[in-house]
Amino acid sequence: MNAAASLQMLGTTAGANGQATAVTIVDVSDRGMRLLTAVPMDVGQAVKIEVGDVMFLGEVCYCATTPGADGIGNSDKQFYLGVVTKECLTGLASLQHLIGALSPEAVEELEPKR
């Protein structure tokens, strides 16, 4: 598959989320996906994955070093992450448009002037 995506760890410290990291979606199934990343993660870590107009929420179920990333002639370690997807949201652009239309500024514009 090899689709570019963005991954963010959720609830990393004091309820804050981690920074977004570029990942590659290598494989997808009905229950989850396999990602290629430069950042290792702990099993059980909650994550958000965004690709195009779709957002997945899930949990890391495994993290393994890729073959050949043993440091011999390869300075960039890569990891495979297995993610069990729990939720999927589609139509994010439409949702963002709706949120913008319902913002307080937009509501004020719709109210009659007095």
Side-chain angles (χ1 to χ4, degrees):
M1 177 172 199
N2 291 335
S6 173
L7 177 137
Q8 185 177 26
M9 289 190 286
L10 302 177
T12 55
T13 56
N17 297 329
Q19 287 188 312
T21 303
V23 296
T24 301
I25 300 173
V26 178
D27 195 17
V28 177
S29 71
D30 290 342
R31 298 183 55 206
M33 59 184 73
R34 181 169 53 143
L35 308 173
L36 182 63
T37 180
V39 181
M41 292 187 195
D42 293 330
V43 170
Q45 174 66 55
V47 294
K48 173 177 77 170
I49 301 153
E50 292 188 57
V51 56
D53 203 25
V54 181
M55 178 177 67
F56 297 92
L57 299 176
E59 185 176 305
V60 175
C61 61
Y62 71 83
C63 178
T65 306
T66 60
D70 56 3
I72 301 172
N74 187 357
S75 60
D76 298 328
K77 260 194 174 179
Q78 295 281 302
F79 301 89
Y80 282 128
L81 293 180
V83 176
V84 176
T85 53
K86 307 287 186 178
E87 299 291 334
C88 175
L89 297 169
T90 60
L92 294 180
S94 297
L95 181 59
Q96 184 64 35
H97 179 72
L98 180 60
I99 289 170
L102 295 175
S103 69
E105 296 82 22
V107 172
E108 287 174 11
E109 289 177 17
L110 294 175
E111 292 178 354
K113 303 276 187 212
R114 295 181 188 184

